[in-house]
Amino acid sequence: KAGVTQTPRYLIKTRGQQVTLSCSPISGHRSVSWYQQTPGQGLQFLFEYFSETQRNKGNFPGRFSGRQFSNSRSEMNVSTLELGDSALYLCASSQGASNSPLHFGNGTRLTVT
Amino acid sequence: GQQVMQIPQYQHVQEGEDFTTYCNSSTTLSNIQWYKQRPGGHPVFLIQLVKSGEVKKQKRLTFQFGEAKKNSSLHITATQTTDVGTYFCAGLSGTYKYIFGTGTRLKVLA
């Protein structure tokens, strides 16, 4: 069974630009969560989608948004990029129950210059 | 908001020594999960604890969930170089939202 796939692996953007990250979950998984990982803040929860609906949201500004498609694939968008948005963005899929383990992708490394 | 802290932040041990990381939540947790992230890799699920006072073992790893369901620990007996990585606990906040601990980075010296 294929794992969680995130594209692209690396991105370099300039301040003020916007970026879209993509995540394909494990086949059969209907939940996708997004996390931001930085050395200083650890893993910070962004949002979680299940069957195209956002079920939970973290404490990030509105510049961070996401969506999920009918095939469970998910995208995350960050608008008006800031230097502080440089991070590893991890996507995790699960079967969707509250006690389901999270299966992480390899992440997208975003650098904002 | 809810916080999940882990101590220590870093730990260097000689191969063969034991290692323990502690996870403390500001609120009661429904359950707790543990993940391991190898250098350059992504977090990988290790185990889940649900019941108060629960203890689970995986070979050299022992996981405990506190009686009050606000803390947990991971103990590794006789560390090996393959144990290198960062260990995260993750507590379920409400439903469907896991709050990750700050992580403990383990280095094992051969």
Side-chain angles (χ1 to χ4, degrees):
Chain A
K1 196 184 245 188
V4 178
T5 304
Q6 289 188 248
T7 56
R9 286 298 309 276
Y10 303 93
L11 265 178
I12 299 176
K13 291 287 187 178
T14 305
R15 266 181 305 175
Q17 288 185 315
Q18 76 165 14
V19 67
T20 299
L21 313 182
S22 180
C23 172
S24 293
I26 291 173
S27 177
H29 284 188
R30 296 166 64 188
S31 168
V32 173
S33 302
W34 288 89
Y35 287 84
Q36 181 195 66
Q37 186 172 31
T38 58
Q41 297 296 318
L43 278 154
Q44 300 288 311
F45 175 79
L46 281 153
F47 27 66
E48 186 256 356
Y49 287 87
F50 181 84
S51 292
E52 302 179 66
T53 300
Q54 186 182 87
R55 292 196 299 192
N56 262 298
K57 191 176 187 303
N59 299 320
F60 278 80
R63 300 186 296 108
F64 292 81
S65 63
R67 59 178 176 169
Q68 186 180 35
F69 302 95
S70 58
N71 61 359
S72 294
R73 189 177 71 85
S74 177
E75 287 182 347
M76 190 189 97
N77 184 272
V78 188
S79 62
T80 319
L81 284 166
E82 300 177 0
L83 295 178
D85 296 333
S86 295
L88 179 66
Y89 290 88
L90 290 162
C91 157
S93 77
S94 78
Q95 293 180 332
S98 59
N99 62 352
S100 299
L102 300 176
H103 298 265
F104 284 87
N106 287 324
T108 293
R109 173 76 61 185
L110 172 64
T111 302
V112 182
T113 61
Chain B
Q2 180 183 16
Q3 290 188 321
V4 179
M5 304 299 293
Q6 277 183 258
I7 54 170
Q9 190 175 1
Y10 301 96
Q11 184 84 59
H12 293 188
V13 299
Q14 285 290 137
E15 190 173 21
E17 290 182 338
D18 292 356
F19 159 78
T20 304
T21 173
Y22 299 91
C23 177
N24 295 290
S25 169
S26 57
T27 60
T28 302
L29 301 169
S30 302
N31 64 26
I32 195 157
Q33 296 179 347
W34 284 90
Y35 292 80
K36 175 184 178 182
Q37 185 174 21
R38 293 180 184 274
H42 56 272
V44 175
F45 174 77
L46 293 176
I47 207 161
Q48 176 171 263
L49 304 170
V50 178
K51 299 176 185 175
S52 169
E54 188 171 13
V55 178
K56 286 189 175 180
K57 292 190 175 185
Q58 284 182 350
K59 296 182 180 178
R60 295 177 296 104
L61 278 61
T62 302
F63 303 83
Q64 290 188 323
F65 200 7
E67 293 291 339
K69 300 183 78 173
K70 294 180 72 173
N71 57 73
S72 181
S73 66
L74 157 59
H75 179 82
I76 302 179
T77 304
T79 54
Q80 300 175 357
T81 54
T82 53
D83 295 325
V84 164
T86 301
Y87 292 85
F88 292 97
C89 62
L92 185 61
S93 172
T95 51
Y96 315 119
K97 176 180 173 182
Y98 277 93
I99 304 298
F100 276 74
T102 45
T104 296
R105 184 183 295 179
L106 173 65
K107 286 193 175 182
V108 180
L109 308 172

